[in-house]
């Protein structure tokens, strides 16, 4: 009976003009496409947010993970859906790097999507093996200045947010380090823990378990303010790189052309979920910080994000 009801509503709504459909939204199940793998910070936050959305609306909001190619696969999938709000993309700030990073894509990351809401942000951590002689970021900078490319650092891959954060650090500090890219965040973190790389740039999801196991030391976080989940760790700004600020947001987008009332309905539900105390606790456990923006704010900030990520990709000199 439930399936038949949803089918009947879907058929009825399909014949309505956009304005009428927007007023009835949501009248059928909503699909959330997560461009990252299960268990990642993006996935975990998306599942919390969508659960609360479903409760608020009295309608199913289910999650599908379509990970791969640095987020391109999930993004490409949503780009091919109708602009009706029934397919929502959950992704990271890497979305803003796509125009500069990829030579050929079947979608336009700027023109084909409308940002809906951002609800958390992930800093990059700079870390070393537990027995490393480097005690501070300044130690790393000094060693690199003394002998360029003598310090190796790992990242989850060329063009990833971790790699771009390292490029930004090297540029600001005026140093050269040897980049060792890996195929995954976990592999890149483990290589540092085992001493195969001297320094690591990575997200908190891959590093917190190693920190808790005593296998690494975190020297700094990339956000301008200290992370709520790592309050004892200084920022790169505090470590001598004044003004350094690099975070990757976790956000949601829909197809461009989605009626504004639907975008606002989705955004309001997401922001209400992100404002819950339980969401703050969830983020802190994942090493994330709550950072809420609605559709109007993202409309202003998104162009700046595209410009910022382009500068970093150009600086890194990478293309995929």
């Amino acid at each position: 009976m439930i399936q038949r009801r949803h089918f009947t509503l879907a058929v009825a709504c399909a014949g309505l003009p956009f304005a009428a459909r927007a007023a009835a939204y949501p009248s059928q199940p909503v699909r959330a496409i997560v461009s990252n793998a299960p268990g990642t910070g993006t996935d975990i936050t998306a599942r919390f947010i969508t659960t609360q959305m479903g409760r608020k609306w009295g309608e199913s909001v289910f999650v599908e993970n379509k990970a791969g190619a640095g987020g391109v696969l999930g993004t490409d999938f949503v780009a091919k859906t109708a602009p009706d709000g029934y397919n929502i993309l959950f992704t990271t700030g890497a979305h803003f790097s796509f125009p500069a990073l990829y030579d050929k894509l079947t979608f336009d990351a700027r023109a084909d999507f409308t940002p809906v809401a951002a609800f958390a942000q992930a800093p990059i951590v700079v870390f070393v093996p537990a027995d490393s002689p480097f005690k501070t970021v300044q130690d790393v900078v000094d060693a690199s200045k003394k002998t360029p490319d003598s310090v190796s650092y790992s990242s989850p891959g060329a063009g990833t947010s971790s790699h771009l954060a390292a490029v930004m650090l090297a540029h600001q500090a005026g140093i050269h380090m040897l980049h060792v890219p890996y195929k995954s965040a976990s592999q890149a973190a483990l290589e540092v823990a085992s001493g195969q790389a001297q320094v690591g740039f990575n997200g908190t999801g891959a590093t917190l378990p190693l920190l808790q196991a005593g296998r690494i030391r975190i020297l700094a976080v990339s956000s301008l303010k200290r992370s709520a989940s790592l309050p004892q760790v200084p920022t790169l700004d505090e470590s001598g790189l004044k003004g350094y600020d690099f975070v990757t947001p976790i956000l949601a987008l829909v197809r461009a052309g989605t009626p504004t009332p639907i975008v606002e309905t989705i955004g309001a539900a997401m922001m209400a979920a992100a404002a819950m105390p339980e969401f703050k606790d969830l983020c802190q456990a994942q090493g994330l910080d709550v950072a809420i923006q609605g559709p109007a704010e993202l409309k202003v900030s998104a162009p700046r994000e595209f410009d910022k990520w382009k500068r970093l990709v150009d600086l890194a000199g990478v293309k995929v």
Side-chain angles (χ1 to χ4, degrees):
M1 291 296 293
I2 293 176
Q3 291 180 341
R4 183 176 179 179
R5 169 182 171 271
H6 285 152
F7 175 78
T8 302
L9 285 170
V11 171
C13 287
L16 295 175
F18 263 156
R21 275 186 262 175
Y25 182 89
S27 58
Q28 64 189 69
V30 176
R31 178 165 51 183
I33 302 298
V34 177
S35 66
N36 300 82
T40 58
T42 307
D43 175 68
I44 292 170
T45 55
R47 290 180 186 276
F48 180 93
I49 295 292
T50 54
T51 296
Q52 303 308 318
M53 291 167 66
R55 290 173 179 171
K56 178 180 179 65
W57 291 338
E59 188 62 78
S60 298
V61 184
F62 59 96
V63 172
E64 286 187 20
N65 295 88
K66 292 187 181 294
V72 169
L73 293 185
T75 306
D76 178 75
F77 179 87
V78 176
K80 292 179 171 65
T81 62
D84 56 11
Y86 287 99
N87 289 277
I88 303 171
L89 175 66
F90 283 77
T91 189
T92 70
H95 180 88
F96 299 114
S97 72
F98 289 167
L101 187 59
Y102 291 91
D103 280 330
K104 294 181 180 180
L105 289 173
T106 59
F107 59 85
D108 186 325
R110 287 177 181 263
D112 291 345
F113 294 90
T114 295
V116 178
F119 24 85
Q121 62 184 23
I124 301 300
V125 297
V126 185
F127 61 104
V128 295
D131 60 354
S132 171
F134 298 140
K135 305 300 181 185
T136 66
V137 170
Q138 191 60 49
D139 291 341
V140 176
V141 171
D142 290 344
S144 297
K145 282 186 174 180
K146 184 177 180 180
T147 310
D149 289 330
S150 63
V151 176
S152 63
Y153 73 92
S154 77
S155 85
T160 60
S161 56
S162 297
H163 176 217
L164 297 181
V167 168
M168 182 174 168
L169 181 153
H171 177 72
Q172 190 166 335
I175 60 175
H176 291 276
M177 297 185 290
L178 179 63
H179 181 212
V180 184
Y182 290 91
K183 293 182 178 180
S184 70
S186 58
Q187 183 185 15
L190 286 169
E191 290 299 293
V192 175
S194 63
Q196 298 304 306
Q198 293 163 277
V199 183
F201 289 77
N202 216 318
T204 51
T207 51
L208 287 184
L210 294 171
L211 177 68
Q212 293 159 359
R215 299 186 61 186
I216 63 169
R217 283 186 288 109
I218 296 179
L219 302 183
V221 295
S222 66
S223 49
L224 190 59
K225 296 181 179 180
R226 292 196 180 195
S227 173
S229 60
L230 294 166
Q232 75 282 7
V233 176
T235 65
L236 284 168
D237 173 78
E238 293 174 308
S239 302
L241 297 172
K242 294 301 180 183
Y244 187 104
D245 184 18
F246 185 101
V247 292
T248 179
I250 296 177
L251 70 160
L253 308 97
V254 292
R255 273 292 316 278
T258 300
T260 298
I262 291 179
V263 173
E264 292 174 345
T265 296
I266 298 171
M270 288 181 172
M271 290 188 290
M276 297 175 66
E278 296 90 340
F279 184 69
K280 182 178 180 180
D281 294 340
L282 177 77
C283 285
Q284 190 161 338
Q286 300 299 315
L288 308 173
D289 295 316
V290 177
I292 303 172
Q293 291 187 71
E297 294 170 287
L298 281 176
K299 185 177 181 180
V300 174
S301 65
R304 295 197 299 265
E305 288 292 319
F306 278 112
D307 292 343
K308 181 187 78 174
W309 287 73
K310 182 182 186 304
R311 288 194 300 270
L312 290 173
V313 170
D314 291 346
L315 192 63
V318 292
K319 280 285 185 180
V320 180

